Amino acid sequence: MPTTERTPEILYDALGYRIERYHTSKNTRGLIYTFTPFMFKKIDSLGFGVAFLLSEGFDVVSFKCINDSWFQKLPRDTIENVAKIGSDYSFIASYGSSMGGFAAIAFSDLLQVKYCIAISPQFSITQDFDRRWHAQAEKIENWNYNIAPGGCKGTDLVLVYDDTLEKDRIQVEHIKSTLSPRSVREIRASLSGHPTGYFLTETSQISSFISSLLKLDLNINIEFKWSKVKKSRNYMSSLGRYALQKDRLKLSTLAFSQAIKLAPDNIGYRMQISQPLHRLGRTPDAIDHIKHALSLNPDNLQLRRRLLLLTGNDTE
């Protein structure tokens, strides 16, 4: 049987995975299966959302993956045995972000969940419409679990994502057109970036947001006031790129400047702000940003090339 809140029962521990069961009290509100996201590396740390969900009164089964394999090597009989835990609960949900969002959906039928919250989930990482994770996809020999046609039957599905991020939007469109859930609720968080959960965390909205969803309040709104979004480097970098695409160069510069204020040593932000600055005639400022980035990574060929272009020692 599971023990105390922070001392889990280990249900499986092999192949770069660990499945842990946490128990709150006799008055638990239900059971939630959670799945770690891409780049989760510390098998001994708490899994995705565990501390918060325990504080909300839920029992949790945490699926942890430290090899970015999209949970594909988990033995099916292990998942089927874990699913038997759900027989003791009237409310069963799954919850994950990015890679974990994929798993929360892909395992929903096996785990017999009735409610699924997927933040910025993938439908597939092997198809050409989105190559962001192709390097990881090439290392996965067999895809044993997929988001399959007709899946999620009997499940209420909540999809939270950035609708201005084309690849995330396409992933969600494929999910919606493939599955047959009982209901689908889309919550669009424009310019929140990938995954949207980072933005919600940066703006101190993640706890209240997920808490409301778990109360089945689907009318919740995400706040985009300046006082909120200015705290999110993910939002600011997304806004900077979006404004640049629309030739709103001053807004792009403002947004990237705020992102850099929040993350001064982020090389990507300094590379990106050099574009609107250069087009605004502020080339010396653009050069300063590239030089700062090069001081952090002197061997970066992209940065060196950009500096040559800005100083006139190369041609566009």
Side-chain angles (χ1 to χ4, degrees):
M1 291 296 294
T3 53
T4 61
E5 289 187 9
R6 293 302 177 89
T7 307
E9 175 188 5
I10 297 178
L11 306 177
Y12 181 82
D13 191 5
L15 303 174
Y17 306 106
R18 185 180 293 173
I19 305 174
E20 299 172 337
R21 184 183 183 186
Y22 295 82
H23 185 61
T24 50
S25 68
K26 293 180 180 179
N27 298 318
T28 179
R29 293 171 60 192
L31 174 66
I32 300 184
Y33 298 104
T34 74
F35 300 85
T36 53
F38 177 64
M39 294 295 290
F40 180 84
K41 296 302 180 186
K42 297 181 179 180
I43 198 71
D44 292 322
S45 62
L46 279 175
F48 181 75
V50 170
F52 169 72
L53 294 171
L54 289 174
S55 72
E56 288 283 298
F58 290 97
D59 287 357
V60 179
V61 172
S62 170
F63 286 73
K64 298 193 285 189
C65 169
I66 59 170
N67 54 24
D68 295 332
S69 63
W70 266 251
F71 298 90
Q72 293 302 309
K73 293 182 181 180
L74 273 173
R76 182 172 289 267
D77 60 351
T78 296
I79 300 172
E80 291 171 348
N81 286 331
V82 171
K84 294 175 184 177
I85 295 171
S87 62
D88 297 331
Y89 300 87
S90 58
F91 179 85
I92 308 172
S94 60
Y95 172 41
S97 171
S98 191
M99 180 180 81
F102 163 87
I105 298 171
F107 291 121
S108 61
D109 287 333
L110 278 172
L111 295 172
Q112 302 174 43
V113 306
K114 300 302 180 185
Y115 190 57
C116 174
I117 301 172
I119 299 177
S120 305
Q122 298 98 12
F123 168 76
S124 170
I125 64 168
T126 63
Q127 299 186 34
D128 287 338
F129 65 78
D130 189 349
R131 300 183 61 86
R132 285 176 290 180
W133 299 279
H134 262 216
Q136 287 72 39
E138 290 175 354
K139 299 175 183 178
I140 301 173
E141 295 179 0
N142 298 304
W143 282 84
N144 299 306
Y145 309 102
N146 293 285
I147 295 178
C152 281
K153 289 181 179 177
T155 301
D156 293 311
L157 179 61
V158 180
L159 301 170
V160 186
Y161 68 102
D162 180 354
D163 60 324
T164 65
L165 195 57
E166 182 181 17
K167 292 175 182 177
D168 276 22
R169 187 175 68 250
I170 293 173
Q171 293 278 10
V172 167
E173 288 172 355
H174 278 286
I175 290 170
K176 288 166 48 186
S177 64
T178 300
L179 297 177
S180 300
R182 182 165 57 188
S183 69
V184 180
R185 170 76 161 92
E186 290 181 68
I187 299 178
R188 302 175 183 89
S190 300
L191 300 176
S192 60
H194 182 97
T196 291
Y198 286 173
F199 164 77
L200 293 171
T201 299
E202 291 170 331
T203 57
S204 303
Q205 299 186 74
I206 187 69
S207 295
S208 60
F209 179 76
I210 297 300
S211 180
S212 294
L213 288 181
L214 291 173
K215 293 173 184 174
L216 307 184
D217 177 6
L218 300 182
N219 295 316
I220 185 171
N221 292 313
I222 298 173
E223 289 188 53
F224 290 95
K225 297 176 182 177
W226 178 256
S227 60
K228 287 280 188 183
V229 300
K230 72 177 183 180
K231 300 175 183 178
S232 170
R233 67 177 191 172
N234 290 279
Y235 183 92
M236 286 298 153
S237 59
S238 295
L239 176 60
R241 289 189 292 271
Y242 184 80
L244 185 60
Q245 292 173 358
K246 302 296 183 180
D247 289 323
R248 298 182 63 182
L249 303 181
K250 290 184 179 179
L251 176 60
S252 179
T253 300
L254 173 66
F256 283 131
S257 294
Q258 182 64 17
I260 290 168
K261 182 179 178 181
L262 295 167
D265 292 339
N266 187 295
I267 291 172
Y269 298 162
R270 291 187 181 273
M271 171 74 88
Q272 291 166 330
I273 198 174
S274 72
Q275 298 178 59
L277 284 173
H278 179 51
R279 291 172 59 184
L280 284 169
R282 296 174 57 187
T283 302
D285 292 334
I287 291 172
D288 286 344
H289 279 288
I290 298 301
K291 286 183 175 179
H292 183 92
L294 277 168
S295 73
L296 299 169
N297 189 349
D299 298 325
N300 187 299
L301 294 178
Q302 246 188 326
L303 290 171
R304 292 165 67 181
R305 169 75 172 171
R306 182 67 179 160
L307 183 61
L308 290 172
L309 289 170
L310 291 171
T311 56
N313 294 320
D314 203 346
T315 56
E316 291 278 359

